[in-house]
Amino acid sequence: MTGQKVIVIGAGPVGALAALYAANRGDNVEIYDLRSDLRDPSTTPLNFTKSINLALSERGINSMRYARCDGLLDAVLSETIPMHGRMIHGQRPSGELYEESQQYDAQGRFIRAVDRAGLNKRLLDHLEQMPNVTLYFNHKLTGADFNRNVAWFEQRKQARADHAQNPTEDTSMKAEPERPKEISVEFDFLIGADGAHSASRYHMMKFARLTYQQEYIDTLWCEFHIEPRAANGSFAISPNHLHIWPGGSFMFIAIPSLDKSFTCTLFAPESYFTSLSTATSDELVSSFSRNFPGVCPELISPTNLKRQFAENPHLPLISIKCTPYHYKSNVVILGDAAHAMVPFYGQGMNAGLEDVRVLFDILDAHDVYNDSPKLATSLKERRGGALNAYTLQRAPDAAAINDLALRNYEEMRSGVNSPIYRMRKWLEESVNVFLPGLGWRTQYTRVSFENQPYSEVEKAVARQGRVIVAAIGLGVFGITGLTALGLLRRGGFGH
């Protein structure tokens, strides 16, 4: 055991899991978070939603499986809801509402709906029981010297009540508050897992020659809520599906919660939100009835729809790519701090949790946790080599899932109703079931139910696509040839 001092910035799921991995290898771990204790119901999430339901799939599950924490995975999975496929909602020309189930996987595998706060609480509870872990909330990272391995924090009495993307209070006319106390913390290794607007990444950029790309897509999102049935408290719609109302340039989705409600999200261009913001209440309800048939008034009353649209923030979606993810042997960034992505593949958290597993697999492979005196290189040299290998391996994978998530938005909002999409899905699943030796799987299966690197998924699916196009081309050519031959036998093509 090395007993190195590791500080983790960010106590969300990715930071908490990274702390567990480090602590279980003998490191002395300190976790610092800008917010108050995330297990406290009064703590305001940074995105200002009361609940965040996420899709937990194989990559996230596998990463917790190898966390060396007895009972953790079972406890997490016991508080999830299986989702076997998408439920597509729409309206026929006759006016009849319909719903159509599309199974996720030919082998019957499923993703799980999980409450982010509940998952976070489980991870923090496990950390709190470990003697070599200390949690520090209300601590804002204000600076770092990654050559001298020291970080500075402001100690705050309480977390701020606003967010850079969604300020909630005008403090311009208030008296200057007392400056928070600043402390310095020395470390051997810093792990930054503090989200898309990462302070860790910001300070690392002062030392590393970091290439950085940020994109806000022309889509905002707003959260809604479907209550359980008033009559008996049951789910209002099927709890074992991710529900989608595709709308072409926008969509509405619903994910089940343990309390038998649904957390819903409207994704739409900014212009759509602008038009609804100035619309009358009747026009808002009419727009939902037209674009998302069956939502209002069937699942959300007009009164609740208007209230939730007015009260819940309309937030942007950001996609971030950067490289490298590290500087020397001293710091590495994980999760959204390294590769924030749009949520349309349900892989943001899963990819972040997988970052942790991949990082520590590489640290182990480079003997960072081997304290044998016979090793030829120092701990810092081994850790530096490991972090360089991590960046080289993980950056292409993160870039791939970033791109796949952006493309999947098109599929979810309109492609799910496309005959071409359905035909390709059927063909790939049929080959997978009847000719498993060929190794064909759908892109969704490879991403959500396997641990194949994302960059390899992208290449494999592209190869399958070329084969399908070639097969269709041969089929069309064959049919055309047979038709021409038949016409010739009957006396030619005519005049």
Side-chain angles (χ1 to χ4, degrees):
M1 297 293 184
T2 64
Q4 60 187 350
K5 181 176 179 179
V6 174
I7 68 173
V8 178
I9 311 301
V14 175
L17 186 66
L20 280 173
Y21 267 71
N24 278 319
R25 284 164 171 75
D27 290 336
N28 297 306
V29 180
E30 295 178 357
I31 307 170
Y32 294 86
D33 199 283
L34 170 66
R35 297 159 289 183
S36 301
D37 191 331
L38 305 181
R39 294 165 292 182
D40 185 341
S42 67
T43 298
T44 305
L46 288 184
N47 62 4
F48 276 80
T49 56
K50 294 180 180 178
S51 62
I52 312 172
N53 281 21
L54 301 172
L56 178 64
S57 56
E58 167 58 21
R59 294 172 194 270
I61 292 170
N62 191 49
S63 300
M64 287 186 282
R65 186 178 292 130
Y66 288 100
R68 303 179 185 175
C69 290
D70 293 340
L72 170 64
L73 184 58
D74 289 340
V76 169
L77 296 183
S78 70
E79 297 178 339
T80 63
I81 300 175
M83 295 189 293
H84 295 273
R86 297 165 173 165
M87 186 70 80
I88 310 303
H89 294 258
Q91 188 171 33
R92 305 190 193 283
S94 64
E96 176 191 7
L97 297 177
Y98 72 86
E99 54 183 30
E100 176 188 283
S101 175
Q102 295 181 357
Q103 190 176 20
Y104 278 133
D105 180 60
Q107 306 296 335
R109 290 172 290 186
F110 52 86
I111 62 176
R112 297 169 180 267
V114 64
D115 175 64
R116 186 186 191 277
L119 170 61
N120 214 158
K121 181 179 184 301
R122 288 289 183 184
L123 292 167
L124 292 174
D125 286 346
H126 274 264
L127 283 168
E128 201 164 50
Q129 297 169 15
M130 305 183 76
N132 56 332
V133 175
T134 308
L135 299 169
Y136 295 96
F137 295 102
N138 297 317
H139 279 66
K140 178 184 178 182
L141 179 67
T142 57
D145 185 330
F146 290 118
N147 285 322
R148 296 194 297 125
N149 285 16
V150 60
W152 292 272
F153 296 89
E154 284 184 352
Q155 291 179 305
R156 300 183 166 202
K157 293 182 181 179
Q158 63 181 25
R160 66 183 183 180
D162 59 26
H163 187 277
Q165 294 182 5
N166 186 52
T168 58
E169 182 180 15
D170 181 4
T171 60
S172 60
M173 301 300 292
K174 292 189 176 182
E176 185 72 19
E178 181 182 350
R179 183 173 177 83
K181 177 183 176 183
E182 188 172 79
I183 62 170
S184 62
V185 179
E186 295 182 348
F187 59 87
D188 296 310
F189 180 34
L190 184 146
I191 299 174
D194 47 344
H197 301 279
S198 167
S200 304
R201 183 186 65 234
Y202 171 76
H203 294 298
M204 191 181 84
M205 291 173 75
K206 301 172 186 176
F207 295 85
R209 291 182 295 179
L210 190 143
T211 300
Y212 177 81
Q213 175 185 332
Q214 159 180 313
E215 177 186 3
Y216 281 99
I217 68 169
D218 182 25
T219 299
L220 301 180
W221 66 278
C222 179
E223 184 180 282
F224 292 83
H225 197 69
I226 295 176
E227 298 288 346
R229 292 188 187 279
N232 55 15
S234 63
F235 285 102
I237 47 180
S238 166
N240 298 122
H241 290 84
L242 187 154
H243 295 262
I244 303 177
W245 284 260
S249 61
F250 37 73
M251 69 176 179
F252 189 83
I253 68 170
I255 300 178
S257 301
L258 290 173
D259 65 0
K260 299 187 178 180
S261 67
F262 283 82
T263 298
C264 310
T265 311
L266 168 65
F267 296 100
E270 184 176 7
S271 58
Y272 183 72
F273 275 92
T274 300
S275 66
L276 291 184
S277 296
T278 58
T280 65
S281 297
D282 289 342
E283 288 171 338
L284 173 64
V285 172
S286 175
S287 178
F288 262 73
S289 299
R290 183 172 62 256
N291 295 306
F292 313 117
V295 171
C296 181
E298 292 85 351
L299 301 174
I300 305 175
S301 70
T303 300
N304 281 335
L305 182 75
K306 297 175 221 174
R307 177 182 56 79
Q308 293 178 43
F309 183 79
E311 293 180 359
N312 293 342
H314 307 158
L315 298 173
L317 293 171
I318 191 172
S319 177
I320 290 174
K321 296 178 182 177
C322 69
T323 188
Y325 294 155
H326 74 288
Y327 175 68
K328 294 184 175 179
S329 64
N330 305 334
V331 56
V332 68
I333 53 175
L334 307 178
D336 284 355
H339 48 71
M341 65 192 72
V342 294
F344 305 120
Y345 229 123
Q347 286 296 301
M349 180 186 69
N350 290 287
L353 297 177
E354 187 180 56
D355 284 350
V356 176
R357 179 187 64 79
V358 172
L359 171 64
F360 281 88
D361 281 352
I362 293 174
L363 291 170
D364 290 342
H366 282 73
D367 289 319
V368 170
Y369 292 97
N370 183 348
D371 53 6
S372 170
K374 297 181 181 180
L375 293 171
T377 55
S378 69
L379 172 58
K380 288 191 69 173
E381 289 174 319
R382 298 195 301 274
R383 190 169 61 234
L387 297 187
N388 186 62
Y390 173 76
T391 286
L392 292 175
Q393 177 176 327
R394 197 60 178 162
D397 291 334
I401 189 57
N402 254 303
D403 294 340
L404 290 172
L406 280 167
R407 291 200 290 269
N408 203 51
Y409 185 30
E410 176 65 28
E411 177 180 306
M412 291 180 72
R413 69 188 184 183
S414 59
V416 289
N417 286 327
S418 163
I420 295 175
Y421 163 79
R422 297 183 187 189
M423 182 176 70
R424 174 167 178 166
K425 185 175 187 292
W426 172 83
L427 178 59
E428 290 178 326
E429 290 181 341
S430 297
V431 173
N432 176 227
V433 171
F434 297 110
L435 297 170
L438 293 180
W440 273 48
R441 281 96 71 202
T442 65
Q443 178 174 288
Y444 193 91
T445 288
R446 292 177 185 271
V447 167
S448 298
F449 303 120
E450 299 177 4
N451 294 289
Q452 183 181 23
Y454 291 118
S455 56
E456 293 182 13
V457 169
E458 198 171 32
K459 293 174 184 175
V461 171
R463 285 195 299 270
Q464 288 180 191
R466 289 193 293 270
V467 172
I468 290 173
V469 169
I472 292 173
L474 287 173
V476 171
F477 178 78
I479 292 171
T480 303
L482 289 172
T483 302
L485 182 61
L487 288 169
L488 286 169
R489 286 179 173 174
R490 290 199 300 268
F493 288 93
H495 300 282

